């Protein structure tokens, strides 16, 4: 049985909710493991994700048909290569509108493509409302709330972003210290490069903090991937035809 | 024998999307398994024939042998569709009157419909008045075609209404805009909209059209067909053919 192709849509209707940090970490999680991964940056202004991961990030303008073709014609290909889409705040509504118009939600399961929305939560009413709307609009997508401790700052938002299924358990991104942020938020800092060869000028406590942060985040990604694979497996067992007895399954010799 | 239906798609102006509308109609009927044939009056090249070669013949509707080819063989299909070249709508209707076709429609021997594609200019409204005199026994559909991003800016609603109301039972149909790049790609592919959506080439072979553009065409064609369902277009097909159509579904 072939594995489904996971398409991670990192989204929020609000800016500065930690979307790009999440998209970077997820893309580099696959890269660290040596697995193929694709990344798409829909931010036409800064293109921050593309600045960090220029060699394998495609920039696409969702307002332009050519950009839509570059993005969705790749996302719909079931090649078992995970893809991460960083949907900037200004692209949020146009992106989901295009998904509806081109029938992506209907076609994805037919092509063994599994869309997962990683919703970067915030303590504002707009985010909670957008999350509820996505649940209604895309019931077939896995909708996972992501709490970034540096953004949420102690607010309990679980009631505003209820988990939609056992597969979509929330992710929690720990806060990075301001000193560490000042390092990792400057392109072309790369998490996988850091793990391979920590920068000589990075002091030990900071290196230890970042390693700990990456371990906690990557562990959650690994668990999320396992939950998705189990869910896909359960789904395929449900839809498989009942096994035939051997003598009925084979034509007589 | 079931009663044949004849649909004329025309306008007195060029470039208003007659062939586009004809193509959506051909797809609509073929998806419902209704036997259909089409005549393209754009002799000698025939744009419609490029997209639907299996069911289309190119004819010159002003010539008697071609008129015989169209009207003497109407019973061979449930629906006969004629894509009338720009400027020939009024002459074609005159020719139909002269050969007794309109009389046959009056007597109920034929179901006759006209899809009149309107352009954005006021001159287009004058065409309605010219056409109206032939429409007493036909279903008359006035089509506002937005596929080319047409803006009906020259129209004053009161003026339009005064023309519209001159024709008893005229029905307005709106064709929405199709994404420009999707429109271009279907033109390049030279296949019916349905084949494009199904990612098939002209001979049914697998093609490699963009998923996004196919999605736009599917979405758009869905809206167009919803309009045809709203105006109960299948009602022009004889009850016998409708039963056959339902059985084949």
């Amino acid at each position: 049985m072939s594995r489904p192709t996971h398409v991670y849509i990192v989204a929020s209707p609000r800016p500065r909710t930690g979307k790009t940090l999440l998209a970077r970490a997820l893309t580099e999680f696959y890269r660290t493991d040596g697995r193929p991964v694709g990344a798409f940056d829909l931010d036409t202004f800064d293109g921050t994700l593309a600045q960090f991961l220029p060699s394998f990030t495609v920039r696409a303008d969702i307002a332009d048909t050519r950009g839509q073709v570059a993005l969705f014609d790749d996302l719909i290909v079931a090649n078992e290569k995970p893809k991460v889409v960083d949907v900037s705040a200004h692209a949020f509504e146009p992106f989901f509108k295009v998904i509806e118009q081109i029938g992506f939600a209907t076609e994805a399961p037919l092509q063994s493509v599994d869309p997962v929305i990683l919703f970067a939560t915030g303590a504002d009413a707009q985010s909670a409302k957008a999350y509820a709307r996505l649940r209604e609009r895309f019931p077939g997508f896995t909708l996972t709330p992501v709490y970034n401790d540096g953004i949420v700052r102690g607010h309990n938002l679980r009631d505003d972003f209820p988990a939609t299924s056992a597969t979509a358990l929330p992710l929690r991104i720990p806060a990075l210290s301001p000193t560490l942020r000042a390092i990792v938020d400057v392109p072309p800092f790369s998490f996988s490069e850091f793990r391979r060869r920590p920068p000589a000028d990075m002091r030990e406590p900071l290196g230890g903090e970042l390693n700990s942060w990456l371990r906690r985040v990557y562990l959650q990604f690994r668990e999320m991937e396992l939950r998705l694979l189990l869910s896909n497996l359960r789904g395929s067992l449900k839809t498989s035809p009942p096994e035939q007895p051997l003598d009925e399954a084979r034509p007589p010799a | 024998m079931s009663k044949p239906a004849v649909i004329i798609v025309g306008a007195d102006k060029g470039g208003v999307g007659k062939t586009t509308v004809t193509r959506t109609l051909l797809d609509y009927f073929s998806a419902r398994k209704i036997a259909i044939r089409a005549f393209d009056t754009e002799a000698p090249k025939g744009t419609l024939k490029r997209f639907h070669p299996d069911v289309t013949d190119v004819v010159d509707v002003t010539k008697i042998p071609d008129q015989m080819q169209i009207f003497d063989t109407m019973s061979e299909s449930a629906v006969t569709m004629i894509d009338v070249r720009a400027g020939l709508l009024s002459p074609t209707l005159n020719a139909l009157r002269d050969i007794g076709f309109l009389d046959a429609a009056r007597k109920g021997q034929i179901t006759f419909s006209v899809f009149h594609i309107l352009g954005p200019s006021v001159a287009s409204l004058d065409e309605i008045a010219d056409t109206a005199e032939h429409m007493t026994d036909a279903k008359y559909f006035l089509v506002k075609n937005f596929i080319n991003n047409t803006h009906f800016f020259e129209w004053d609603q009161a003026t339009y209404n005064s023309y519209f109301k001159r024709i008893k039972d005229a029905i307005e149909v709106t064709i929405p805009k199709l994404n420009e790049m999707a429109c271009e790609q279907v033109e390049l592919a030279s296949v019916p909209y349905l084949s494009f959506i199904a990612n098939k080439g002209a001979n049914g072979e697998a093609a490699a059209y963009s998923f996004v553009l196919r999605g736009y065409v599917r979405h758009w064609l869905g809206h167009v067909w919803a309009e045809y369902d709203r105006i109960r277009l299948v009602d022009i097909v004889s009850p016998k053919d409708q039963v056959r159509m339902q059985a084949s579904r």
Side-chain angles (χ1 to χ4, degrees), chain A residues 65-66 68-69 71-73 76 98 100-104 107, chain B residues 179-182 184 209-216 218-219:
Chain A
T65 310
R66 279 180 184 77
Q68 294 164 14
V69 170
L71 174 65
F72 287 104
D73 278 13
I76 202 66
V98 171
E100 285 175 325
Q101 284 188 339
I102 63 173
F104 181 79
E107 191 67 17
Chain B
N179 175 286
E180 280 163 31
M181 200 167 157
E184 263 174 41
Y209 309 132
S210 157
F211 166 72
V212 171
L213 302 182
R214 287 190 289 126
Y216 274 126
R218 180 173 46 227
H219 184 75

Side-chain angles (χ1 to χ4, degrees), chain A:
Chain A
M1 195 190 84
S2 63
R3 286 156 66 111
T5 301
H6 293 130
V7 170
Y8 298 102
I9 300 163
V10 182
S12 162
R14 303 278 297 170
R16 307 200 64 76
T17 50
K19 289 183 293 293
T20 302
L21 178 66
L22 176 62
R24 280 172 61 199
L26 183 56
T27 310
E28 297 225 48
F29 159 70
Y30 284 105
R31 207 177 149 204
T32 307
D33 277 4
R35 289 191 277 171
V37 61
F40 295 88
D41 190 346
L42 304 195
D43 184 351
T44 48
F45 299 116
D46 300 326
T48 314
L49 182 64
Q51 288 180 41
F52 282 100
L53 305 166
S55 55
F56 48 97
T57 301
V58 174
R59 290 187 72 175
D61 180 359
I62 197 68
D64 175 60
T65 310
R66 279 180 184 77
Q68 294 164 14
V69 170
L71 174 65
F72 287 104
D73 278 13
D74 193 322
L75 296 188
I76 202 66
V77 177
N79 52 7
E80 301 187 19
K81 175 172 135 181
K83 289 144 196 174
V84 180
V85 188
D86 186 5
V87 183
S88 57
H90 76 272
F92 182 86
E93 195 45 48
F95 173 79
F96 287 108
K97 195 174 171 196
V98 171
I99 283 193
E100 285 175 325
Q101 284 188 339
I102 63 173
F104 181 79
T106 314
E107 191 67 17
L110 302 176
Q111 301 293 337
S112 283
V113 170
D114 188 11
V116 180
I117 303 175
L118 299 178
F119 191 96
T121 60
D124 57 286
Q126 189 191 357
S127 293
K129 206 171 154 189
Y131 181 85
R133 279 282 293 137
L134 288 179
R135 281 181 72 176
E136 286 168 18
R137 288 164 81 182
F138 305 104
F141 289 10
T142 304
L143 176 57
T144 301
V146 181
Y147 303 100
N148 184 323
D149 285 347
I151 307 292
V152 174
R153 292 177 198 282
H155 287 97
N156 183 1
L157 305 175
R158 303 264 162 162
D159 292 342
D160 293 335
F161 302 93
T164 50
S165 69
T167 312
L169 294 180
L171 303 183
R172 188 169 167 193
I173 307 297
L176 287 164
S177 67
T179 319
L180 200 49
R181 284 216 69 153
I183 297 169
V184 303
D185 280 356
V186 179
F189 186 88
S190 154
F191 296 122
S192 33
E193 279 302 313
F194 162 77
R195 293 200 100 177
R196 210 176 0 252
R197 199 173 39 238
D201 57 347
M202 188 185 268
R203 286 182 289 115
E204 178 45 38
L206 287 177
E209 185 194 336
L210 186 53
N211 265 319
S212 160
W213 185 87
L214 283 171
R215 266 197 302 275
R216 289 172 68 186
V217 172
Y218 285 4
L219 179 65
Q220 291 184 72
F221 290 158
R222 216 173 292 283
E223 286 174 347
M224 174 178 71
E225 200 184 18
L226 279 174
R227 283 195 298 272
L228 289 168
L229 288 171
L230 273 174
S231 163
N232 295 134
L233 187 64
R234 272 194 219 106
S236 66
L237 288 175
K238 268 186 209 161
T239 51
S240 300
E243 230 173 278
Q244 283 179 297
L246 201 59
D247 55 340
E248 279 180 43
R250 285 184 188 157

